[in-house]
Amino acid sequence: MDPKVKEEIENIIDLFKRSNLGEFEIEKEGIRLRLRKDIPAISVESTGTAAKPAIEKETEKSEKTETEEDLIPIKTPMVGTFYQASSPEATPFVEEGDIVEAEQVVCIIEAMKLMNEIKAETRGRIAKILVEDGHPVEYGQTLFLVKAE
Amino acid sequence: MDPKVKEEIENIIDLFKRSNLGEFEIEKEGIRLRLRKDIPAISVESTGTAAKPAIEKETEKSEKTETEEDLIPIKTPMVGTFYQASSPEATPFVEEGDIVEAEQVVCIIEAMKLMNEIKAETRGRIAKILVEDGHPVEYGQTLFLVKAE
Amino acid sequence: MFSKILIANRGEIALRIIRACRELGIGTVAIYSEADVNSLHVRFADESICIGPPPSSSSYLSIPNIISAAEVMDVEAIHPGYGFLAENAHFAEVCESCGIRFVGPTPENIRAMGDKIEARKLMKKAGIPVIPGSEGVVKNKEEALSIVKKIGYPVMIKAAAGGGGKGMRIAHNDVSLANAFLTARTEAEASFGNPELYIEKCIQDPRHIEFQILADKFGKIIHLGERECTIQRRYQKLIEESPSSAVDKKLRKKMGDSALRAAKTIKYMSAGTVEFLLDREGHFYFMEMNTRIQVEHSVTEMVTGIDLVKEQIRLAQGDKLRYHQDLIKLNGWAIECRINAEDPENDFLPTPGEINICQFPGGPGIRVDSHIYPSFYIQPFYDSLLAKLIAHGADREEAIARMQRALTEFEISGVKTTIPFHSTVLNNPLFIRGKFSTGFIDRIWSVKAKSEEA
Amino acid sequence: MFSKILIANRGEIALRIIRACRELGIGTVAIYSEADVNSLHVRFADESICIGPPPSSSSYLSIPNIISAAEVMDVEAIHPGYGFLAENAHFAEVCESCGIRFVGPTPENIRAMGDKIEARKLMKKAGIPVIPGSEGVVKNKEEALSIVKKIGYPVMIKAAAGGGGKGMRIAHNDVSLANAFLTARTEAEASFGNPELYIEKCIQDPRHIEFQILADKFGKIIHLGERECTIQRRYQKLIEESPSSAVDKKLRKKMGDSALRAAKTIKYMSAGTVEFLLDREGHFYFMEMNTRIQVEHSVTEMVTGIDLVKEQIRLAQGDKLRYHQDLIKLNGWAIECRINAEDPENDFLPTPGEINICQFPGGPGIRVDSHIYPSFYIQPFYDSLLAKLIAHGADREEAIARMQRALTEFEISGVKTTIPFHSTVLNNPLFIRGKFSTGFIDRIWSVKAKSEEA
């Protein structure tokens, strides 16, 4: 994007932020910008009562870097407990820096006493392990970030 | 953004903030600006329960024309009943088209059995009488529009 | 006291249970589908965990995901709310086998009342009046025809596994009976995976009267008076009250005793509801027992002052029931309107979408149970209940006046809701005089629709 | 029944009165200053009329404008609410002389209780215990000193025309007495246009207990039990309850009888409140009688089920009182928190400005009386009450649990409010145990402020 245009948009957003407006729309030279403030009840700066999710939402942070670095997430398809190895004594399935092949088991999710193997979908290098061994995970949570090779 | 344009937008937002408007849209020289305030509880399209002011708010309509034609309003400083004449048989103090002088009585507002004379503040021609004889008026309601002469 | 409970539900009932837990000092875990990440039940719970994608079948109905969530979050009990898994005996069993308390009745209780044909037989044996009809499953339309010869038209064909009006058809003659029988069977099979049907005589102009039950595991059992749920549309309750203008003290005693007997017959434990039909002559008939907390429990709370969800949790803990039948009194009158995201002018079609303005009524005697807020997005995946608006007054007249007043204050914009529909009903002279039966809405609302077309 | 009433007030109480009128089928006229054009009381009234510019003196206190409004809008009665003209005997007289019913007591009732010195004399004569002190007006500090010689320090200097803590000063010794006497006089003169003062002994660690009265014009009079308003800050009530944990059945009977005698002595008619101080030994003393509906009337409504504003209107119409003393029962426990636009961390300074988010709590036992909504602008011209949050439970424990829970759900953003303050108090062990006196807040809150500075 033209840096001048970008700056202009930033200015407008800033203006809007400082205003009491709920909605804002502007069209100029082929660019239409629409801003809206709301979703008050679930705003981030909400007071003490807000739920503190028990499970760290590392996904949010990581998914930003991911886009920048072309990282592919491996997510859990079920709720359960994350294990890096098949037993406490065993060596982990994978560690950061390892190359994994498609269909290779990367971890286990225990759900209702059953051990479910989670597999990589494509070949790549484990860039980041996002959950600690033995920690609970929720549906859809990102477990690993993989850099395609 | 052109600082002049930015200033203009800021002015408009400020204007809008201080106004009673809920929504605002303007298009000018390729720029379209749309503003909205979230004053939900008092939106105009509110359902049947909304208060129907007993007293016709002719002010609203009229004040627009006023700006266009440089009309000066004569407002009532009190709540009461509007009378165009000193008694039912008497001729009205003023009629549309009449020239009034500063300090000339233009009507009577009856409040608590007292007859209060309302006077013009400046010389001018009565462009419009906005309230019907014998009708109630609320505080600040515009009674006459006067065109300065 | 439990230290932590998982709430296996969403919407207003999840919030209702969280409120009860907070007041009892019990920690809460909310579960949610990906569609509900911004829900109030997630916000107000102490902890929360995503358990699946938007469709209920993979989230709020997924027993493995819910049990896993309960295990990783280390809860002592699961409250199922209503709908979803609330009356799933298998789920209650899985909970118990995993060492998690199910806040509700025993799996046996659920099974006993879940099969409507078996429940009907049990009740009949216990001396509780049931609607005249087939002894058990009606296998084919020939058998149906022979039963109708005995009991006469009109008749109601119902699903053995039924509930919520599904697999239910009315028949007025032999021709419609044959058709109705087949469609009911198809619907029952599709809805419940069980095509079994039975037949009951249609009660003319009945009223729907149900009794709230509380029972502990020591065999102590009481009822908290009746609720009237006669204002329905296609078997969906829309307005509920407590007490009922059709029930006097003597009838309350009689029906209450039958409700207690029904619950005792199956050794019921927890909060539950025994539903009856009441005919024009004051005869009543057992219809079914709901083995869960119901949407309309709130009107009973208003008139008895008893928090049913808290009691349900206490009973699940194994506490003794704290109330005695002769100390239960109904104070005043309560009415509930279910505010749904449905368009009453368009055959009550659901209206998913984003809520813009959302302004609740307030003042004396008004209670709102709702999970919505400005900019809340109504998902198309789940039911359309947005809010329960409850009015409590010293008598029915005051409760109606308060409800009328509160409906005028309640503003929801962005989607159509049933608020205008409720205003119409609450101002209907027959409703105000308490003169109605279950056909009331179909009658007044279709007339209204027609007169507006004209 | 009246057909139309003008509500000479604003904010939550205007809305409260509109709600009562709607439920009674009475038309309503809202008055408003130019600053209040977007208020809910204007919106929810059937009709509305602007009566002046923002300052109260030219609008809500302007008798000519209000009476004119009542005349042009053709109303039969005026409800004054609380504050503004509610206890202005002259206004009540003007109403009557214009043929407009004043919804409240007679001008004589207002006058009799408006002069605190005369009221105290009357009560003493009627055998109601009053706080030891001066017989009448204390003319100068020499006279003050001679009175204190008899009754002993500490003493309270009060304004004859007083109310709301204005013109009130405490003195612990001769030096502070001299100063306090002069500042109290200046303040009394400035606030009420009447510099007259009297002196009472300070009751140590008292509780503020008041009785709600209802009386018809035929001389029938009852009380609806007590309210405890001990949780105050600088004589401003912040939290009220009914019943009181300091009052048992026997004391309720004794104080109730005194309250009835106080009202009977002046032939009181309408709703009113007799305020007492209760000392540590269980002795109680008449303080004053408020001849209006009070902010905290709602807690009495919750436990009695009686709508006080409706009754007040019925009594103003000349109806007979519909209740009997022995049928009045207090069901459960109710607590009210006044949510003000004040910064509790900054000496409770008012915080006018625009509200952004405004999310009310709900669920069982919760009532909200409020005139605010998202984007509501809090005007600097009027008082800072934003909402009354009321919790009702089966007992005090449940009422407290509900209030704690509701406070966590109540969200107001854009301006600071007293919500966090109330959460602190509701979780204070002494408050929970019911162990407090009128000095409670000054003690716990200043300690809190200091510990946070450290």
Side-chain angles (χ1 to χ4, degrees):
Chain A
M1 192 186 288
D2 183 338
K4 243 189 73 189
V5 173
K6 198 187 158 194
E7 204 197 318
E8 207 165 316
I9 291 178
E10 273 175 342
N11 279 338
I12 291 174
I13 291 178
D14 193 48
L15 240 161
F16 176 66
K17 256 197 270 183
R18 285 183 285 110
S19 82
N20 286 329
L21 297 173
E23 199 164 333
F24 182 96
E25 194 164 336
I26 189 167
E27 194 159 356
K28 192 189 166 187
E29 295 161 9
I31 295 179
R32 196 164 71 88
L33 183 66
R34 188 164 158 263
L35 304 172
R36 199 157 71 97
K37 272 188 240 165
D38 56 8
I39 322 191
I42 48 153
S43 60
V44 182
E45 69 277 17
S46 70
T47 45
T49 63
K52 273 144 225 91
I55 292 175
E56 310 97 89
K57 299 267 181 345
E58 290 174 280
T59 356
E60 285 167 29
K61 267 178 278 153
S62 53
E63 275 176 351
K64 271 173 220 146
T65 35
E66 170 200 330
T67 356
E68 287 164 31
E69 302 174 31
D70 290 323
L71 295 177
I72 302 153
I74 301 179
K75 298 183 178 191
T76 169
M78 69 191 72
V79 179
T81 306
F82 172 82
Y83 291 114
Q84 281 191 272
S86 55
S87 73
E89 302 81 33
T91 46
F93 292 108
V94 294
E95 311 227 39
E96 286 181 10
D98 287 1
I99 298 281
V100 292
E101 302 295 331
E103 294 301 306
Q104 183 182 332
V105 173
V106 291
C107 69
I108 278 173
I109 301 292
E110 184 197 335
M112 294 184 75
K113 319 286 176 221
L114 286 177
M115 300 299 168
N116 303 282
E117 296 180 338
I118 306 298
K119 293 168 180 168
E121 284 181 13
T122 49
R123 188 173 193 278
R125 188 184 296 278
I126 299 289
K128 187 95 189 127
I129 303 178
L130 295 165
V131 182
E132 270 185 68
D133 191 52
H135 275 222
V137 290
E138 63 183 347
Y139 173 84
Q141 187 171 348
T142 302
L143 308 171
F144 301 92
L145 292 175
V146 179
K147 192 161 167 54
E149 292 248 325
Chain B
M1 192 189 290
D2 183 338
K4 245 188 72 191
V5 174
K6 196 187 159 191
E7 205 197 317
E8 210 165 316
I9 292 178
E10 271 177 342
N11 281 338
I12 291 173
I13 292 179
D14 194 47
L15 240 161
F16 177 67
K17 254 199 272 184
R18 284 183 287 111
S19 80
N20 285 329
L21 296 173
E23 201 160 331
F24 181 95
E25 195 163 337
I26 190 170
E27 195 157 355
K28 190 188 167 192
E29 296 161 7
I31 295 182
R32 196 165 70 88
L33 183 64
R34 190 167 155 259
L35 303 174
R36 197 160 70 98
K37 268 189 234 160
D38 286 315
I39 313 192
I42 46 155
S43 62
V44 182
E45 69 279 17
S46 69
T47 45
T49 63
K52 274 146 224 88
I55 291 174
E56 310 96 87
K57 300 268 183 330
E58 290 173 280
T59 354
E60 285 166 33
K61 265 178 281 151
S62 52
E63 275 175 349
K64 273 172 219 148
T65 33
E66 166 198 331
T67 354
E68 288 163 30
E69 302 175 30
D70 290 321
L71 295 177
I72 302 153
I74 302 180
K75 298 182 178 192
T76 167
M78 68 190 72
V79 180
T81 307
F82 172 83
Y83 291 114
Q84 281 189 272
S86 57
S87 72
E89 303 79 35
T91 47
F93 292 110
V94 294
E95 310 228 39
E96 286 182 12
D98 285 1
I99 297 280
V100 292
E101 301 296 331
E103 294 301 307
Q104 182 182 333
V105 173
V106 290
C107 68
I108 278 174
I109 302 290
E110 183 196 337
M112 295 184 75
K113 321 282 176 225
L114 287 176
M115 300 298 170
N116 303 281
E117 296 180 339
I118 306 298
K119 292 169 182 168
E121 283 182 14
T122 49
R123 189 172 192 276
R125 187 183 297 276
I126 299 288
K128 188 98 188 120
I129 303 178
L130 296 163
V131 183
E132 270 184 68
D133 191 52
H135 276 221
V137 289
E138 65 183 345
Y139 173 84
Q141 187 171 347
T142 303
L143 308 171
F144 301 91
L145 292 175
V146 178
K147 194 163 166 50
E149 293 248 325
Chain C
M1 190 66 77
F2 293 131
S3 65
K4 206 201 269 189
I5 287 182
L6 180 140
I7 295 119
N9 217 305
R10 63 181 299 285
E12 74 86 18
I13 190 63
L15 206 53
R16 174 71 190 86
I17 298 162
I18 290 170
R19 284 170 169 155
C21 289
R22 287 214 160 180
E23 292 176 18
L24 289 170
I26 297 173
T28 50
V29 176
I31 61 168
Y32 62 99
S33 77
E34 288 177 325
D36 278 341
V37 59
N38 290 333
S39 286
L40 281 194
H41 78 280
V42 175
R43 184 177 174 214
F44 284 132
D46 298 313
E47 301 173 85
S48 62
I49 179 166
C50 179
I51 48 122
S56 305
S57 55
S58 317
S59 51
Y60 299 107
L61 286 169
S62 165
I63 296 179
N65 278 3
I66 292 170
I67 296 288
S68 288
E71 286 182 336
V72 303
M73 303 306 272
D74 199 21
V75 303
E76 287 165 82
I78 294 182
H79 196 306
Y82 52 68
F84 295 132
L85 299 169
E87 287 174 295
N88 184 315
H90 171 61
F91 179 62
E93 268 168 0
V94 173
C95 287
E96 298 298 326
S97 74
C98 293
I100 299 163
R101 203 65 65 81
F102 178 77
V103 182
T106 64
E108 296 72 36
N109 290 162
I110 300 176
R111 284 225 169 76
M113 288 298 179
D115 183 323
K116 305 301 172 189
I117 295 179
E118 291 306 310
R120 192 170 170 278
K121 281 186 193 164
L122 265 174
M123 294 302 113
K124 202 175 168 185
K125 222 172 103 187
I128 298 161
V130 298
I131 303 168
S134 59
E135 274 311 299
V137 178
V138 179
K139 292 200 183 61
N140 48 48
K141 61 181 178 189
E142 288 70 32
E143 202 183 323
L145 281 165
S146 83
I147 287 159
V148 176
K149 284 239 162 62
K150 278 180 279 177
I151 60 171
Y153 284 109
V155 296
M156 189 69 86
I157 303 161
K158 293 181 172 178
K166 277 170 197 153
M168 235 160 125
R169 283 290 182 285
I170 198 164
H172 292 90
N173 53 51
D174 290 358
V175 178
S176 66
L177 180 71
N179 280 331
F181 192 84
L182 294 174
T183 40
R185 181 145 70 184
T186 312
E187 201 169 290
E189 169 86 66
S191 300
F192 313 110
N194 175 356
E196 290 183 342
L197 300 175
Y198 64 109
I199 290 182
E200 283 179 349
K201 183 151 178 57
C202 263
I203 305 296
Q204 292 293 305
D205 300 332
R207 299 176 77 127
H208 175 118
I209 308 286
E210 60 186 35
F211 276 72
Q212 176 68 48
I213 297 291
L214 284 180
D216 67 19
K217 66 173 190 177
F218 309 102
K220 183 173 176 184
I221 181 161
I222 62 168
H223 74 80
L224 303 183
E226 78 278 8
R227 290 189 288 261
E228 164 132 33
C229 313
T230 299
I231 302 297
Q232 311 181 343
R233 188 183 161 275
R234 305 202 179 153
Y235 311 112
Q236 302 298 318
K237 296 167 186 169
L238 296 169
I239 299 178
E240 300 99 345
E241 341 184 5
S242 181
S244 158
S245 39
V247 177
D248 59 15
K249 214 174 159 183
K250 208 176 128 194
L251 185 57
R252 180 171 303 123
K253 172 92 178 79
K254 239 170 105 181
M255 294 181 79
D257 284 348
S258 286
L260 292 178
R261 201 176 323 142
K264 274 179 192 158
T265 301
I266 60 160
K267 296 194 172 52
Y268 194 76
M269 194 283 288
S270 184
T273 302
V274 182
E275 297 191 337
F276 297 102
L277 280 187
L278 178 68
D279 74 12
R280 284 178 294 193
E281 284 76 40
H283 304 121
F284 61 90
Y285 307 93
F286 172 85
M287 232 187 343
E288 61 180 46
M289 178 165 185
N290 292 316
T291 57
R292 57 163 197 269
I293 194 81
Q294 286 183 290
V295 177
E296 63 269 25
H297 74 275
S298 345
V299 289
T300 299
E301 293 184 324
M302 300 306 275
V303 292
T304 60
I306 295 173
D307 187 315
L308 287 171
V309 179
K310 283 192 206 166
E311 290 314 315
Q312 197 188 17
I313 293 170
R314 287 194 178 101
L315 294 171
Q317 278 178 159
D319 290 8
K320 279 189 181 169
L321 185 56
R322 309 186 302 159
Y323 301 97
H324 301 283
Q325 188 66 61
D326 27 320
L327 295 177
I328 300 301
K329 247 174 289 176
L330 307 186
N331 286 310
W333 207 283
I335 302 179
E336 170 178 289
C337 287
R338 298 194 191 187
I339 311 299
N340 293 338
E342 295 170 0
D343 182 358
E345 299 297 333
N346 192 10
D347 207 28
F348 290 84
L349 279 184
T351 53
E354 187 173 321
I355 288 172
N356 179 12
I357 299 169
C358 167
Q359 180 89 0
F360 291 157
I366 296 303
R367 166 177 169 187
V368 183
D369 273 57
S370 175
H371 57 292
I372 67 170
Y373 53 85
S375 89
F376 174 81
Y377 191 87
I378 303 162
Q379 301 291 346
F381 309 103
Y382 315 112
D383 79 14
S384 60
L385 182 63
L386 294 182
K388 300 190 312 196
L389 174 57
I390 302 136
H392 186 211
D395 49 30
R396 190 163 187 268
E397 193 189 342
E398 185 170 60
I400 289 176
R402 287 203 164 138
M403 184 60 89
Q404 291 169 337
R405 186 267 291 169
L407 284 165
T408 66
E409 293 177 16
F410 205 152
E411 192 180 359
I412 298 176
S413 77
V415 299
K416 299 214 170 175
T417 75
T418 52
I419 292 173
F421 163 82
H422 286 294
S423 285
T424 302
V425 176
L426 265 287
N427 286 291
N428 180 292
L430 289 171
F431 177 82
I432 290 169
R433 280 159 50 208
K435 302 284 176 209
F436 46 75
S437 66
T438 53
F440 180 71
I441 293 305
D442 285 338
R443 217 140 43 225
I444 68 152
W445 199 253
S446 58
V447 167
K448 184 177 179 290
K450 270 179 201 141
S451 72
E452 277 174 8
E453 274 166 32
Chain D
M1 189 68 74
F2 293 131
S3 65
K4 206 201 270 188
I5 288 182
L6 181 140
I7 294 119
N9 216 303
R10 62 180 300 283
E12 75 85 19
I13 190 62
L15 206 53
R16 174 70 191 87
I17 297 162
I18 289 170
R19 286 172 168 153
C21 289
R22 286 213 158 181
E23 293 176 18
L24 289 171
I26 298 173
T28 49
V29 176
I31 61 168
Y32 61 100
S33 77
E34 288 177 323
D36 278 340
V37 60
N38 289 333
S39 286
L40 282 194
H41 78 280
V42 175
R43 184 176 174 215
F44 285 131
D46 298 313
E47 302 173 84
S48 61
I49 179 165
C50 180
I51 47 124
S56 306
S57 53
S58 317
S59 51
Y60 299 106
L61 286 169
S62 163
I63 296 178
N65 278 3
I66 292 171
I67 295 289
S68 289
E71 285 181 338
V72 302
M73 304 305 273
D74 198 22
V75 303
E76 287 165 81
I78 293 182
H79 196 306
Y82 53 67
F84 294 133
L85 298 169
E87 287 174 293
N88 185 315
H90 171 61
F91 179 61
E93 269 167 1
V94 173
C95 286
E96 299 298 326
S97 73
C98 294
I100 300 164
R101 202 68 63 82
F102 178 77
V103 181
T106 64
E108 296 72 34
N109 290 161
I110 300 176
R111 283 225 170 76
M113 287 299 179
D115 184 323
K116 305 301 172 188
I117 295 179
E118 289 308 311
R120 193 170 170 277
K121 279 187 192 162
L122 265 174
M123 294 303 114
K124 202 174 168 185
K125 222 172 106 188
I128 297 161
V130 297
I131 303 168
S134 59
E135 275 310 298
V137 178
V138 178
K139 293 203 180 58
N140 48 46
K141 59 181 178 188
E142 288 71 29
E143 201 182 327
L145 280 166
S146 83
I147 287 159
V148 177
K149 283 238 163 62
K150 278 182 277 176
I151 61 172
Y153 283 109
V155 297
M156 189 69 85
I157 303 161
K158 294 180 172 180
K166 277 171 198 153
M168 233 159 126
R169 283 289 182 282
I170 198 165
H172 293 88
N173 53 52
D174 290 359
V175 178
S176 66
L177 180 73
N179 279 331
F181 191 85
L182 293 175
T183 41
R185 180 145 70 186
T186 312
E187 202 169 288
E189 170 85 67
S191 299
F192 313 110
N194 175 356
E196 289 182 343
L197 300 175
Y198 64 110
I199 290 182
E200 284 178 348
K201 183 150 177 58
C202 265
I203 305 295
Q204 292 294 302
D205 300 330
R207 299 176 77 128
H208 176 117
I209 309 287
E210 59 185 36
F211 276 72
Q212 176 66 48
I213 296 290
L214 284 180
D216 68 19
K217 66 173 192 179
F218 309 101
K220 183 172 176 185
I221 181 162
I222 62 168
H223 73 81
L224 303 183
E226 78 277 11
R227 289 188 289 260
E228 163 130 36
C229 313
T230 300
I231 303 297
Q232 310 181 344
R233 188 182 161 276
R234 304 200 181 154
Y235 312 112
Q236 302 298 318
K237 297 167 187 170
L238 296 169
I239 299 178
E240 300 99 344
E241 340 184 7
S242 180
S244 159
S245 39
V247 177
D248 60 15
K249 215 173 156 182
K250 208 177 130 193
L251 184 57
R252 181 170 303 123
K253 171 92 179 79
K254 239 170 106 182
M255 294 181 78
D257 285 347
S258 287
L260 291 178
R261 200 176 323 143
K264 273 179 191 159
T265 301
I266 61 159
K267 297 192 172 54
Y268 194 75
M269 196 283 288
S270 183
T273 301
V274 181
E275 298 191 335
F276 297 102
L277 281 187
L278 178 67
D279 74 13
R280 286 179 293 193
E281 285 77 37
H283 304 122
F284 60 91
Y285 308 94
F286 172 85
M287 232 184 348
E288 61 180 48
M289 179 167 185
N290 291 317
T291 56
R292 58 166 195 270
I293 194 80
Q294 284 184 293
V295 177
E296 63 269 25
H297 74 276
S298 345
V299 290
T300 299
E301 294 184 324
M302 300 306 274
V303 292
T304 60
I306 295 172
D307 187 315
L308 286 171
V309 178
K310 284 192 206 166
E311 290 315 315
Q312 196 189 19
I313 292 170
R314 287 195 178 100
L315 294 171
Q317 276 175 165
D319 290 8
K320 278 189 183 170
L321 185 56
R322 310 186 300 159
Y323 302 97
H324 301 284
Q325 188 65 61
D326 27 324
L327 295 176
I328 300 300
K329 246 174 289 174
L330 307 186
N331 284 310
W333 207 283
I335 302 179
E336 170 177 288
C337 288
R338 299 193 190 188
I339 311 298
N340 293 338
E342 294 170 0
D343 182 359
E345 299 298 333
N346 193 8
D347 208 29
F348 291 82
L349 279 184
T351 53
E354 188 174 320
I355 288 172
N356 179 10
I357 299 171
C358 168
Q359 180 90 1
F360 290 158
I366 296 302
R367 166 177 169 188
V368 182
D369 273 58
S370 176
H371 58 293
I372 66 171
Y373 54 84
S375 89
F376 175 81
Y377 192 87
I378 304 162
Q379 301 289 347
F381 309 103
Y382 314 112
D383 79 14
S384 60
L385 182 63
L386 295 182
K388 301 191 310 197
L389 174 57
I390 302 136
H392 185 211
D395 50 30
R396 190 164 188 267
E397 193 190 342
E398 185 171 61
I400 289 176
R402 288 204 163 136
M403 184 61 90
Q404 290 169 337
R405 187 267 291 170
L407 285 166
T408 66
E409 293 176 16
F410 205 152
E411 193 179 357
I412 299 175
S413 77
V415 300
K416 299 214 172 178
T417 75
T418 50
I419 292 174
F421 163 82
H422 286 293
S423 285
T424 302
V425 176
L426 265 286
N427 285 289
N428 180 293
L430 290 171
F431 176 81
I432 290 169
R433 281 159 51 207
K435 302 283 177 208
F436 46 76
S437 67
T438 53
F440 180 71
I441 294 304
D442 286 336
R443 216 139 45 224
I444 69 151
W445 200 253
S446 59
V447 166
K448 186 178 177 289
K450 269 178 201 144
S451 72
E452 278 174 7
E453 274 166 31

